[in-house]
Amino acid sequence: MPWASAMLVSEEGKVIVLGETEEILAQIEDDVKVVSLDGKYVYPGFHDSHVHLITGGLSLSSIDLQHVHTREEFVERVKQGVARVDKGGWVMGFGWDEHDWGGEWPTAEWLEQVAPDHPVLLLRYDMHAGLANYKALREANLTEKSVDPPSGRIGRELSTGNLNGLLYEYALISVTSQIPKPSVQAREVALERAAEYLLARGVTCVHDMGRVALGPPGQSSPAWDDFHELYFPLADAGKLPLRVHAFMPLSSWKDLADFVHVTGFQHPGGFLSWGGLKEFYDGSLGSRTALMQEPYDDKPGETGEQLIAKDRLAFLFAASSSAGLSVAVHAIGDRANLDVSAVFAENMPSGSEGTGPGPQHRVEHAQHLGGEEIARTLASSGAVASIQPLHMESDVPLLAARLGLKRAGPAHSFAYRTLLRGGVRLAMGSDWPVVRSDPISAIVASVFRNTTGEAWVPEESLTVSEALLASTRDAALAANRGHDLGVLEVGRWADLVVLSSDLFALASGGARPHVLHTYVSGRCVHGC
């Protein structure tokens, strides 16, 4: 990667000259503002290729259940959160992981003494399971006679059959559909908080997978609501605080195709783009809803949940791709990745593969593969693997017990080198708020794979250069923004991050850098 010591940025916010400091200073007029970064290291602004932007912003003001180490601490945090809400109002929490306190799953009984008069929903960190208290279950009309919905499960006590408050996958809809929709004002505040959080970490562009549509059939899509009520008006006013590439539910492909026909794929201001569609094929490893080819080692007979029929996905994919739209499919389990890669390869319209303009199809997560053949199949379709290295923090400790050593090992789990070797392009992100958005930590995790203290399957590591490209240039390509984002060069937007030290020195034991300043369109937006 070439280096320069200075750049000249236009009033519009694009790079117009790159070169040596003395050369550029000799070209500029006296009224041009000169900013000295004191020899610090500058990189293209990071893309986070998978976030839930408004959900993340809202989570910053809900009960934080991350890193809770005992049942008592869990209950105390809920008690404190309930005290901030008027009687009868909904109480939301996020981020719990039963492994943080030894593996026992929480139940509604834990909440009975501290929240008898408030409906409560506490989402697990992966958002594929949640805990509802008894009042919330009553408001959702869930009883012992309720049957499991398709692609979902209602938790019950094994001995009595009584509801225990746990809800998995689409069973969550029965409760979430009762929660009042957050107002536009509340979502504007959430967006402001989310932007502050992300810009502080050097993120200048997000690929927003939207608020998950956990409502009854026919209810408006949260992703579309946020697009029309927040993103587009703010883009029109020039007030989006960072760049957003928005995804809509795959089921709404006709609506998006019609919208694109009228408006194209990008707002003229450059801060908002669209054209992507999102679908879930399976769940998560932590909730044992990731779809596997063979049963879980620690739950014989269970292979996970398939959330959409393969032939239905194939139809929607072919129709969307033919309309010029990009399809992103959540696939974590090895069976899910096998099916999705086959759908992509078998239904890709002729001539739509590659890195140029046109649909940029993606597998979101691509976490567990059945071996190198899946990587080759995925590569043959030209699709991108959208990876989240910080998921290793929560999932690596589970792998051996849950999947066995082979499925936890090389070419199977978090197999980044296998994907690259097979010819698959990578785009790196976080899945925030499922895990924190922190591109530097994600790069470190993908290079050293030591999120739990010891390097795990180091043969699947990336180089620093590969990880950086997946967080910048290749992530921009995956959002169809390869023409104006992802690289600092003449004619592109001057989105950049200033770090305390050289990222590339990590490979030789150099200090881990931290973000000093973040610039969007040449204007300082963090650390100013």
Side-chain angles (χ1 to χ4, degrees), residues 128 150-152 168-171 279-284 289 291 304-310 312 330 336:
H128 289 269
S151 302
Y168 303 85
E169 302 298 345
Y170 287 167
E279 185 55 85
F280 288 88
Y281 200 82
D282 69 341
S284 73
T289 52
L291 187 64
E305 296 282 351
Q306 184 172 341
L307 303 182
I308 184 173
K310 184 179 177 182
R312 174 65 175 166
H330 167 118

Side-chain angles (χ1 to χ4, degrees), residues 122-141:
L122 309 173
L123 290 175
R124 192 175 185 270
Y125 76 91
D126 59 6
M127 297 195 292
H128 289 269
L131 175 66
N133 71 342
Y134 292 128
K135 184 170 178 60
L137 294 174
R138 289 193 297 270
E139 295 208 5
N141 294 315

Side-chain angles (χ1 to χ4, degrees), residues 170-468:
Y170 287 167
L172 284 163
I173 292 175
S174 57
V175 171
T176 58
S177 61
Q178 305 302 311
I179 301 172
K181 173 183 172 181
S183 67
V184 172
Q185 182 180 16
R187 284 178 282 141
E188 286 178 345
V189 172
L191 176 58
E192 291 173 4
R193 297 192 66 185
E196 291 174 2
Y197 171 93
L198 292 160
L199 292 167
R201 288 152 179 81
V203 177
T204 57
C205 180
V206 295
H207 305 185
D208 179 26
M209 299 296 151
R211 285 187 294 139
V212 179
L214 292 177
Q219 188 182 67
S220 63
S221 159
W224 277 107
D225 289 347
D226 293 339
F227 184 75
H228 286 305
E229 297 172 2
L230 288 180
Y231 301 158
F232 216 92
L234 288 170
D236 280 343
K239 293 183 178 180
L240 265 181
L242 77 173
R243 301 191 199 277
V244 177
H245 181 62
F247 283 75
M248 307 302 164
L250 180 58
S251 59
S252 67
W253 72 271
K254 289 184 180 178
D255 295 329
L256 185 57
D258 290 343
F259 186 81
V260 164
H261 180 73
V262 175
T263 64
F265 290 92
Q266 186 173 319
H267 190 277
F271 272 78
L272 180 63
S273 56
W274 52 87
L277 297 154
K278 171 75 185 303
E279 185 55 85
F280 288 88
Y281 200 82
D282 69 341
S284 73
L285 181 74
S287 296
R288 293 192 189 86
T289 52
L291 187 64
M292 307 300 297
Q293 297 183 74
E294 300 294 334
Y296 287 93
D297 278 30
D298 58 354
K299 276 282 185 177
E302 289 193 16
T303 57
E305 296 282 351
Q306 184 172 341
L307 303 182
I308 184 173
K310 184 179 177 182
D311 58 352
R312 174 65 175 166
L313 176 64
F315 167 78
L316 292 171
F317 173 79
S320 302
S321 188
S322 295
L325 305 175
S326 302
V327 177
V329 183
H330 167 118
I332 288 186
D334 58 12
R335 171 63 185 277
N337 279 287
L338 177 67
D339 286 356
V340 172
S341 62
V343 166
F344 282 9
E346 295 166 7
N347 296 276
M348 186 74 71
S350 177
S352 62
E353 305 89 347
T355 61
Q360 297 293 310
H361 304 304
R362 309 151 54 128
V363 176
E364 300 301 317
H365 310 304
Q367 186 166 304
H368 302 290
L369 310 179
E372 294 186 0
E373 184 59 33
I374 291 180
R376 289 191 289 268
T377 301
L378 190 60
S380 72
S381 72
V384 175
S386 171
I387 61 171
Q388 296 75 39
L390 290 182
H391 277 305
M392 286 192 280
E393 291 181 342
S394 59
D395 285 3
V396 164
L398 309 178
L399 286 177
R402 193 147 293 184
L403 299 180
L405 292 178
K406 180 179 179 180
R407 290 190 293 178
H412 286 77
S413 292
F414 298 96
Y416 303 150
R417 177 59 52 194
T418 295
L419 287 165
L420 275 183
R421 189 166 54 242
V424 179
R425 292 177 293 128
L426 304 181
M428 192 178 291
S430 67
D431 204 5
W432 184 64
V434 173
V435 298
R436 69 191 184 281
S437 179
D438 184 348
I440 293 175
S441 291
I443 289 170
V444 170
S446 68
V447 172
F448 296 103
R449 298 175 70 91
N450 59 353
T451 57
T452 57
E454 182 179 347
W456 173 77
V457 192
E459 55 265 50
E460 291 290 352
S461 294
L462 300 179
T463 65
V464 174
S465 178
E466 289 164 344
L468 179 60

